[in-house]
Amino acid sequence: VHCHSFFSIHLAMSQILDLLKQLPIELAMAGILVGICVVMGAISLTLTVRPDYLTVQSWLPPKSNAAKREFEVFSLYYTAAWIGVFALVILWQTYEHFNADSYMILCVSLALPFLLQPILFPFRAEKALPLFLRYSFKANVWIAIFSFVGNYWYTHYFYAVLKARYTFPAHRLNDVPIALFFATHFYFCTYHTFSNIILRRIETRYLPGWSRTVFFWAAVVAFSYFTGFMETLTISGFPYYSFEDRFMAMTLGSAFYGIYFLVSFPVFYRLDEKIGQHVEGAVVAPHSLFQTVFEALGTCMLVLILLDAARLYLGIPFNMSGVAYYVYQPAVYGAQ
């Protein structure tokens, strides 16, 4: 029975994918995104708004959780800055004059405001706290771990499943451009700030119950796919990151990338989210650095399992053949 059900699901997914392939990629993606919105809209009809929603609903953490609130506000403002810089680099095609060091300088420079802020410029709400207890420091540690594992391990799944390739000059660790370890840090700070805002809005606007739980996880799935799609779409303007099949990259690749966030969005959201609140008869304490690190590592392990499960489902062999360190130069090594 289980084998028959699995085969039926596989067949249905193959048929849907074949149908989408017959459409222009823009129309196919529009159909997928509209479908997601319709499903979310249908689920939202089952929700019950809190009677006191005008006073308790919130996009940002409450003022009683000032440290997390200040970090998310900073993240939103800085997101506009780094997106502006990247937009100019793409628009002016400045990357055509870049070498391996140029990419490092750009990405490290854009990551430093996040990385150094907890140490050199602590927010008012956490100035008096030891470094390891500051929310901004714990958030950076969490994202840094997830970013490192994502680049070091998960990138090779994109190489194997989507035949993705980076062909710009770069210092490489395990055949992944080191500059991207830093770029991913500020990308992921932004993504997880927005996911926090969305999930918090759901929890503070609607009454608890099965419908809110379903809607919460549907939002995680929807925003994970949307995040994967938007990054794939925006990076398509950069010619030195290529895919064997652009259609598969946009449709299947967005879902494949979205696996990262299916796990990371809800886990990162709970980091110091409910401190001071009474949950199950106990007052919620801030995360320790130890707890923060191990929740990030647990997230990384679960994502790795899901990525490999997806690879096995697709029947694609996997070989991780990177070397410790080298400088990739297209003119010397050619496309890889």
Side-chain angles (χ1 to χ4, degrees):
V1 175
H2 294 297
C3 291
H4 178 72
S5 300
F6 179 82
F7 178 76
S8 300
I9 293 171
H10 178 75
L11 181 62
M13 291 180 65
S14 299
Q15 290 174 340
I16 292 172
L17 195 57
D18 289 340
L19 178 62
L20 291 173
K21 283 183 178 179
Q22 299 175 17
L23 302 173
I25 188 169
E26 296 80 8
L27 190 58
M29 289 309 304
I32 292 172
L33 295 175
V34 168
I36 290 173
C37 291
V38 169
V39 171
M40 291 295 294
I43 298 174
S44 70
L45 297 176
T46 66
L47 297 169
T48 303
V49 177
R50 291 175 181 269
D52 57 347
Y53 77 95
L54 290 176
T55 57
V56 299
Q57 69 177 356
S58 178
W59 297 103
L60 293 171
K63 292 181 180 179
S64 59
N65 192 355
K68 188 167 185 175
R69 183 185 182 94
E70 289 177 338
F71 179 80
E72 291 188 9
V73 170
F74 168 73
S75 181
L76 291 173
Y77 278 116
Y78 185 61
T79 292
W82 75 252
I83 287 178
V85 172
F86 262 32
L88 292 176
V89 168
I90 298 297
L91 182 64
W92 293 343
Q93 297 185 353
T94 313
Y95 53 79
E96 295 292 0
H97 308 287
F98 280 8
N99 58 23
D101 294 334
S102 304
Y103 283 104
M104 283 294 293
I105 291 170
L106 174 66
C107 294
V108 172
S109 298
L110 289 176
L112 284 179
F114 275 121
L115 293 169
L116 295 181
Q117 175 273 313
I119 303 168
L120 301 181
F121 308 103
F123 299 124
R124 182 173 56 185
E126 52 187 18
K127 271 186 178 181
L129 294 175
L131 178 64
F132 289 177
L133 296 181
R134 295 172 184 171
Y135 172 79
S136 56
F137 182 78
K138 291 182 289 186
N140 269 281
V141 168
W142 200 106
I143 294 294
I145 292 171
F146 191 53
S147 299
F148 178 83
V149 175
N151 281 282
Y152 189 90
W153 276 99
Y154 308 160
T155 301
H156 286 269
Y157 281 86
F158 281 81
Y159 292 168
V161 175
L162 298 173
K163 302 297 185 288
R165 291 293 178 267
Y166 293 107
T167 57
F168 58 88
H171 300 275
R172 293 198 176 201
L173 171 65
N174 194 25
D175 205 27
V176 178
I178 296 175
L180 297 184
F181 286 76
F182 292 92
T184 305
H185 189 84
F186 54 83
Y187 266 66
F188 280 9
C189 281
T190 292
Y191 299 164
H192 288 80
T193 296
F194 280 110
S195 69
N196 278 359
I197 288 171
I198 292 169
L199 299 180
R200 182 178 301 114
R201 181 70 170 187
I202 293 170
E203 284 203 331
T204 58
R205 180 175 174 83
Y206 302 107
L207 288 174
W210 68 267
S211 57
R212 192 185 77 175
T213 300
V214 170
F215 190 67
F216 181 96
W217 286 103
V220 170
V221 173
F223 191 57
S224 296
Y225 187 86
F226 177 77
T227 302
F229 167 69
M230 287 305 298
E231 183 170 327
T232 305
L233 178 65
T234 53
I235 204 172
S236 64
F238 180 62
Y240 301 110
Y241 182 51
S242 60
F243 298 98
E244 188 175 80
D245 185 331
R246 185 169 180 265
F247 180 88
M248 292 297 289
M250 288 290 185
T251 53
L252 179 64
S254 297
F256 196 69
Y257 188 24
I259 290 173
Y260 290 30
F261 308 119
L262 287 177
V263 184
S264 71
F265 282 165
V267 178
F268 184 78
Y269 170 65
R270 69 186 298 275
L271 177 62
D272 284 5
E273 177 63 22
K274 300 183 185 298
I275 55 173
Q277 298 181 27
H278 290 268
V279 177
E280 297 179 354
V283 178
V284 179
H287 277 59
S288 66
L289 184 61
F290 179 88
Q291 185 181 1
T292 300
V293 168
F294 274 80
E295 285 189 6
L297 291 172
T299 297
C300 294
M301 189 68 246
L302 182 53
V303 171
L304 183 61
I305 292 170
L306 293 175
L307 288 174
D308 207 55
R311 178 192 66 81
L312 291 172
Y313 172 79
L314 295 169
I316 297 172
F318 178 77
N319 178 35
M320 190 171 175
S321 58
V323 298
Y325 170 79
Y326 74 105
V327 180
Y328 172 77
Q329 298 289 356
V332 178
Y333 297 98
Q336 294 191 354

